[in-house]
Amino acid sequence: MSSKQSAPKNARKSGPAGPRQQAAGAPAPAGPRPARLTAAAVLTGLEGVALAAAGVYLLVMGLLGKPDSPQQAETGGLTVLALAVLPLVAARGLWLRRRWSRGPAMITQIMALPVAWTLYVAGGAMIAAAVALVVVALGTLVLLVNPTATEALGIGPRE
């Protein structure tokens, strides 16, 4: 007898009441959203908006400007726009207190650190942008690992 045959009939059904429905119908976390989690969501969202703006700028300059390689500028713009999706989705998840959102938000902050180093090495006005990016990334990481934020997301110590 296979495992499918021995499983209860209702366990094999996948439809509107499948796992997705149960996750979406989960009760909302009780109590107000902690200020630290709100700040992390806002900072992550601002990073996503900045990436989206940079992507649009690269696209427009690739189309209307006179870059050395319009194809490369447009590809870069589309890539940056695609990268903007991760922090925007993570910020929305943090705002809604979704447990899964902490990982993508932390990945975004960790990915920002080499970008800040690249800006720093470029010198000039980019040094100020690098310092700002490091401050935001490290600050957001601290907010995300804070016990208040992890509890609000339903993340506890492993047992």
Side-chain angles (χ1 to χ4, degrees):
M1 183 178 250
S2 73
S3 61
K4 278 189 174 182
Q5 292 172 339
S6 63
K9 203 173 201 179
N10 60 357
R12 287 186 278 159
K13 287 184 180 179
S14 62
R20 239 176 191 214
Q21 185 76 3
Q22 293 169 354
R33 182 184 320 103
R36 290 179 177 125
L37 187 59
T38 301
V42 168
L43 289 172
T44 303
L46 288 174
E47 286 173 331
V49 169
L51 277 171
V56 168
Y57 174 78
L58 286 171
L59 274 175
V60 169
M61 295 315 322
L63 294 172
L64 304 177
K66 295 186 180 182
D68 292 337
S69 171
Q71 183 179 8
Q72 188 176 11
E74 293 161 13
T75 302
L78 289 173
T79 302
V80 173
L81 277 173
L83 288 173
V85 172
L86 180 67
L88 291 172
V89 169
R92 184 173 189 277
L94 289 172
W95 188 263
L96 297 175
R97 295 170 69 173
R98 301 292 188 249
R99 181 182 186 146
W100 58 262
S101 63
R102 184 173 171 239
M106 290 181 74
I107 289 169
T108 299
Q109 308 317 315
I110 293 168
M111 286 178 11
L113 296 174
V115 172
W117 177 255
T118 303
L119 292 174
Y120 178 78
V121 170
M126 293 295 144
I127 292 175
V131 170
L133 184 56
V134 166
V135 168
V136 169
L138 291 178
T140 306
L141 276 171
V142 167
L143 292 170
L144 289 170
V145 299
N146 186 282
T148 305
T150 57
E151 288 174 17
L153 292 171
I155 301 170
R158 292 186 181 210
E159 295 176 5

